[in-house]
């Protein structure tokens, strides 16, 4: 469906702007009026990572007048494979600062607003209220639901994207004209069911494919041209090179944007709503969590332990804790891993950060291994505190 332009046009374009945006100006659907609307627009990118990188670069090049960047992370070398707004010299630098510098280099006519902070329930409404449109490049469910809820409550549209390995998705959620994210996903998936890109990986160029689609949708919304992805979910398979879209209908029973909404303000705790780990995992980990340094001490003392890495084989190939046996988490969930565990040794589980090993720990404890433990912080903690010479990812 066609929608009216999201913003009013600016008064004029300067000579420099006419020269810079000439290839837009000669497109009849964009023209002078459309470019003036872009100049007058204020767009916030949530995240300066895989999706935020191409989105920010193309929004800047397109002439969006004000670009907001919210990200509290720092650039890591493992980011550079896909987060192309950052370079080698930016490693260790705040992502928001690094991204802002790149945006200014691409287009010095753009005003950049830096929000070097985590997006929380305390600041999301205030930050969002200063923008016309939100581009969501987050990679976790808690933030996605918070972004959606804040956008609906403020009556703002946002462009959503998601990537994993070779697959990408994109849509526009605008409750005033169609469904919201909760209409598509009323409940978050069970903890641990959907791995993040940090756990499962992502083809770097996929970020450009989905990020550019997000910018395309943003331009259409801001200028009022074309048929935006409102009420449609675009699905991209990079291996098969296939695009398809699925209709997404507004749910009249949606708790947020339905006829009788029960969610009328932000939730107190989106992490709890999305369940960072299950209740069973949290209970199992309580009192049974050790540090990487404690594991190193157990190894050095020659204690009778059996160390299990519950990550995936490709992760194990990148970096592993010496002496650990690889048994992926899926084998614990289907029960096949239990026969591989020795009865006469203390079981020590670990993963990348501690979430997956906590889920496996719940299975192990319920199977009778009452003294089993897991390593809080996982491999990341081992690399940081025990052996910094090992690669991180």
């Amino acid at each position: 469906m066609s929608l009216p332009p999201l913003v009013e046009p600016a008064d004029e374009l300067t000579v420099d702007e006419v020269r810079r945006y000439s290839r837009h100006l000669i497109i009849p659907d964009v023209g002078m009026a459309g470019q003036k609307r872009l100049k007058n627009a204020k767009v916030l990118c949530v995240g300066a990572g895989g999706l935020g990188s191409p989105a920010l670069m193309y929004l800047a090049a397109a002439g969006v007048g004000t670009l907001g960047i919210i990200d509290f992370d720092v650039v890591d070398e493992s980011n550079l494979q896909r987060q192309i707004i950052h370079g080698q010299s930016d490693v260790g630098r705040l992502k928001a600062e690094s991204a802002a510098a790149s945006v200014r280099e691409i287009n010095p006519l753009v005003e950049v607003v830096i929000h070097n902070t985590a997006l929380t329930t305390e600041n999301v409404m205030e930050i969002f209220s200063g923008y016309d449109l939100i581009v969501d490049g987050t990679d976790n469910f808690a933030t996605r639901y918070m972004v959606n809820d804040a956008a609906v409550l403020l009556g703002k549209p946002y462009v959503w994207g998601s990537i994993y390995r070779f697959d990408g998705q994109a849509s526009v959620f605008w409750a005033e004209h169609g469904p919201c994210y909760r209409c598509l996903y009323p409940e978050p998936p069970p903890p641990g069911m959907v791995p993040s890109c940090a756990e499962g990986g992502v083809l770097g160029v996929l970020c450009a494919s989905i990020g550019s689609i997000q910018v395309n949708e943003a331009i259409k919304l801001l200028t009022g041209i074309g048929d935006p992805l409102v009420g449609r979910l675009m699905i991209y398979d990079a291996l098969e090179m296939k695009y398809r879209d699925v209709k997404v209908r507004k749910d009249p029973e949606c708790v947020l944007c339905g006829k009788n909404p029960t969610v009328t303000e932000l939730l107190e705790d989106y992490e709890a709503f999305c369940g960072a780990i299950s209740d069973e995992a949290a209970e199992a980990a309580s009192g049974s969590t050790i540090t990487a340094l404690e594991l190193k001490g157990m190894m050095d003392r020659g204690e009778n332990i059996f160390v299990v890495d519950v990550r995936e084989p490709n992760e194990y190939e990148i970096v592993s804790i010496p002496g650990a046996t690889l048994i992926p988490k899926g084998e614990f969930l289907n029960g096949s891993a239990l026969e591989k565990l020795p009865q006469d040794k203390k079981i020590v589980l670990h993963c990348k950060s501690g979430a997956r090993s906590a889920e496996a720990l719940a299975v192990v404890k319920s199977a009778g291994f009452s003294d089993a433990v897991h390593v809080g912080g996982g491999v990341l903690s081992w690399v940081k505190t025990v052996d910094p010479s090992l690669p991180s990812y």
Side-chain angles (χ1 to χ4, degrees), residues 45-85:
C45 273
V46 183
L51 291 175
S53 289
L56 284 164
M57 294 169 76
Y58 273 106
L59 286 167
V64 170
T66 301
L67 271 180
I69 307 171
I70 180 163
D71 200 310
F72 67 96
D73 201 2
V74 298
V75 180
D76 182 81
E77 196 167 17
S78 66
N79 301 149
L80 303 182
Q81 161 260 5
R82 63 202 177 281
Q83 299 180 18
I84 57 172
I85 203 167

Side-chain angles (χ1 to χ4, degrees), residues 7-14 17 20-21 24 33-45 55-69 100 103-104 106-114 130-133 215 218-219 222-223:
V7 296
E8 293 298 317
D11 291 335
E12 62 179 4
L13 297 182
T14 66
E17 288 170 333
R20 177 178 287 267
Y21 307 126
H24 274 177
Q35 195 62 50
K36 286 180 179 179
R37 294 185 195 279
L38 292 177
K39 179 180 180 178
N40 209 28
K42 297 180 179 180
V43 177
L44 174 69
C45 273
L56 284 164
M57 294 169 76
Y58 273 106
L59 286 167
V64 170
T66 301
L67 271 180
I69 307 171
V103 165
R104 295 186 182 107
I106 291 170
N107 190 348
L109 304 179
V110 171
E111 179 183 354
V112 185
V113 181
I114 297 173
Y131 295 91
D132 303 303
L133 178 67
V215 175
I219 291 173
L222 295 170
T223 60

Side-chain angles (χ1 to χ4, degrees), residues 144-216:
R144 287 173 183 171
Y145 278 96
M146 180 171 62
V147 167
N148 176 77
D149 293 0
V152 171
L153 293 172
L154 289 169
K156 295 183 181 290
Y158 76 100
V159 184
W160 171 80
S162 175
I163 50 176
Y164 178 68
R165 291 185 176 170
F166 300 98
D167 301 317
Q169 299 179 355
S171 189
V172 172
F173 296 110
W174 194 356
E176 183 179 337
H177 296 283
C180 76
Y181 183 75
R182 285 180 181 265
C183 295
L184 178 61
Y185 298 114
E187 298 288 341
M193 175 171 285
V194 181
S196 67
C197 290
E199 295 171 346
V202 61
L203 187 68
V205 72
L206 180 68
C207 302
S209 299
I210 302 303
S212 63
I213 288 172
Q214 289 182 278
V215 175
N216 188 62

